[in-house]
Amino acid sequence: MKIFFSVGEPSGDLHGANLVRALRSRKSDIQCVGFGGPRMAAAGCELHQDLTQLAIMWIGRALLHLPKFFGYLRQADEYFERERPDAVVLIDYPGFNWHVARKAHDRGIPVFYYGTPQLWGWAPWRIKKMRRNVDHALCKLPFEEQWFRERGVNATYIGHPYFDELRERKLDTPFVDALRSTEKSPLVTILPGSRTQEVKSNLADLLKAAKLVRQQVPGTRFAIASFKESQAAMAKARVAESGLDCDVHVGKTPELIDAASATMAVSGSVSLELLYHTKPSVILYRVSRFAYAVQKRFRLVRYITLVNLLTATDLFPRKPAIYDPASPEDAHVLMPEYLTSEDRTEDLAGHVVEWLTDDQSRQSLVDRMSELKDRVAHGGASERAADYIVRELEHLGREAA
């Protein structure tokens, strides 16, 4: 049995690696090939290209890489024709994966989308592509199965694969202990994102907010969790410019979250990790004025943070707005979030200062996060997805026989 993967995000590489291992544990003869990243390669997937090197944002930057994407798409289609894999598994990365799905579908190869794109939040008109070219939509969030099924897509909720990784992860305990025991002053971890463009757009504001926190809570320590060395070098340069005393670490994100009293983070799947560790966190996503206008036109949900979506009672309001800390409508929000083209550093700092100085407020938030964690942070998504894929392919095999 041969399965072709197409994965382009660092987080997708993580989920893909877990799925590859789960599949191979069920059928030792399964061959996993295709596009992915280093984690998938380490799990036993034969990579044709490392797409995670092209994890980009916004149409302007994507256009610069169009020749590469067309080349990879042609390579995938030639492989489909030549090797006829038993299935194609897509993970996130919809801009490219829509085309991979179409090529596979046109050749009669079953397509599984593991971790469906969040069409309900920004592009419901693309449901036609999902309905036409995806045979099995495996959903990460509880409300997605019904949303997709109501629109004619064969969808199944299997849980969020990120929690699989979190439940299995082993922390560098000595490093965490050192962070906690060096001083009794609180540690605030800064999480500027896994994409270089996110770091460029958000880190300056996060450092500015950190300086405001330090002014109001003297002695507060800060540490930046960088995804890779090149981003760490960028972070160190920004830290030097800011004049803030702040450590920068690579490959220590779980430990820096675990040791923190609070965090300031860029929006992304890291919010699920923050929930898992029940860390009070404020979320930033700084974009250009043009990008802000574009998202305002197309966004269909009030929140950009997955954790906040999981607590919302009205997922799809008639007139979506953005989070407002003063609004009773947002009283349920666990992670204050700021999607903005303006300076909101005072707001960021205000939340962190409250958590560092008001024990009752902080504990109330932690208790609410714990309740949600107990409801949604269950592992097993990779196992359920592997069972589903193997079961469906074996069923197809019996029908063909």
Side-chain angles (χ1 to χ4, degrees):
M1 187 178 290
K2 184 178 294 184
I3 299 178
F4 184 96
F5 281 79
S6 182
V7 182
E9 300 283 357
S11 59
D13 182 33
L14 174 65
H15 305 329
N18 287 332
L19 181 56
V20 167
R21 282 190 285 268
L23 286 166
R24 289 163 63 89
S25 72
R26 279 150 178 77
K27 292 183 71 68
S28 59
D29 63 338
I30 284 183
Q31 182 183 0
C32 299
V33 301
F35 304 145
R39 288 189 174 99
M40 289 176 62
C45 184
E46 178 188 333
L47 289 192
H48 295 176
Q49 298 291 342
D50 182 354
L51 276 194
T52 63
Q53 296 298 316
L54 290 176
I56 55 178
M57 302 183 306
W58 304 117
I59 189 169
R61 294 177 60 81
L63 289 174
L64 296 176
H65 294 281
L66 275 180
K68 286 186 178 180
F69 285 124
F70 282 127
Y72 295 161
L73 183 62
R74 184 168 55 253
Q75 181 181 351
D77 191 37
E78 290 171 353
Y79 183 84
F80 297 160
E81 180 181 24
R82 183 178 67 253
E83 299 293 336
R84 298 291 303 178
D86 296 281
V88 169
V89 174
L90 313 174
I91 301 180
D92 296 331
Y93 218 53
F96 178 70
N97 277 341
W98 290 132
H99 300 285
V100 177
R102 179 172 56 82
K103 294 292 187 183
H105 176 77
D106 288 349
R107 296 193 180 279
I109 301 170
V111 177
F112 297 78
Y113 216 129
Y114 179 49
T116 49
Q118 296 173 1
L119 304 186
W120 40 265
W122 57 276
W125 62 89
R126 288 188 169 177
I127 196 69
K128 295 179 181 178
K129 293 183 178 181
M130 180 75 75
R131 190 165 52 232
R132 182 172 60 246
N133 296 323
V134 174
D135 301 286
H136 306 274
L138 305 182
C139 304
K140 297 182 290 189
L141 302 176
F143 58 84
E144 290 180 322
E145 178 179 335
Q146 180 180 350
W147 191 90
F148 280 110
R149 283 187 175 274
E150 287 176 349
R151 289 156 180 81
V153 176
N154 178 28
T156 302
Y157 171 59
I158 47 90
H160 206 295
Y162 200 24
F163 292 123
D164 290 355
E165 170 67 16
L166 295 176
R167 290 166 67 89
E168 297 297 325
R169 181 178 287 167
K170 305 298 182 184
L171 297 180
D172 182 348
T173 304
F175 182 76
V176 174
D177 291 343
L179 287 172
R180 288 175 173 164
S181 63
T182 301
E183 303 176 45
K184 292 185 178 180
S185 53
L187 172 67
V188 174
T189 292
I190 297 172
L191 302 153
S194 60
R195 298 174 176 143
T196 299
Q197 186 60 33
E198 290 174 338
V199 179
K200 290 179 178 178
S201 299
N202 291 275
L203 184 53
D205 278 8
L206 293 171
L207 289 171
K208 185 177 178 181
K211 292 182 73 174
L212 294 174
V213 173
R214 174 73 62 77
Q215 291 172 9
Q216 298 175 66
V217 189
T220 301
R221 294 172 295 141
F222 297 93
I224 295 173
S226 288
F227 179 68
K228 54 187 178 181
E229 291 291 347
S230 60
Q231 294 172 358
M234 185 190 311
K236 290 175 182 177
R238 290 286 178 89
V239 168
E241 292 171 2
S242 72
L244 181 72
D245 180 19
C246 179
D247 296 327
V248 179
H249 300 276
V250 178
K252 295 294 184 182
T253 298
E255 289 80 7
L256 290 169
I257 290 175
D258 190 64
S261 299
T263 81
M264 296 187 292
V266 170
S267 178
S269 57
V270 72
S271 71
L272 298 177
E273 187 167 357
L274 297 171
L275 173 67
Y276 189 82
H277 289 276
T278 62
K279 294 297 175 179
S281 302
V282 60
I283 306 298
L284 173 68
Y285 208 81
R286 180 77 181 259
V287 296
S288 68
R289 291 183 182 276
F290 173 75
Y292 186 83
V294 170
Q295 67 79 32
K296 189 175 181 180
R297 170 66 178 83
F298 292 104
R299 181 167 48 87
L300 300 175
V301 293
R302 186 174 180 87
Y303 307 109
I304 61 170
T305 305
L306 289 178
V307 170
N308 293 337
L309 286 168
L310 292 173
T311 64
T313 55
D314 184 5
L315 282 169
F316 309 107
R318 189 170 61 88
K319 292 184 177 180
I322 60 173
Y323 166 78
D324 178 0
S327 172
E329 186 177 351
D330 294 321
H332 66 90
V333 164
L334 296 179
M335 296 182 182
E337 60 173 53
Y338 295 93
L339 170 62
T340 181
S341 61
E342 301 175 346
D343 185 339
R344 302 300 299 267
T345 53
E346 289 189 3
D347 297 285
L348 302 180
H351 293 291
V352 175
V353 168
E354 178 182 359
W355 297 327
L356 297 183
T357 59
D358 187 335
D359 290 340
Q360 184 176 356
S361 174
R362 184 181 191 280
Q363 189 58 51
S364 174
L365 176 57
V366 169
D367 290 344
R368 290 165 58 211
M369 294 178 76
S370 296
E371 291 174 3
L372 179 60
K373 175 186 174 181
D374 290 341
R375 292 204 308 271
V376 303
H378 307 296
S382 304
E383 304 296 322
R384 286 188 288 273
D387 286 338
Y388 184 100
I389 292 169
V390 169
R391 183 173 63 250
E392 290 298 320
L393 294 183
E394 288 180 342
H395 175 69
L396 289 173
R398 288 192 298 271
E399 285 190 338

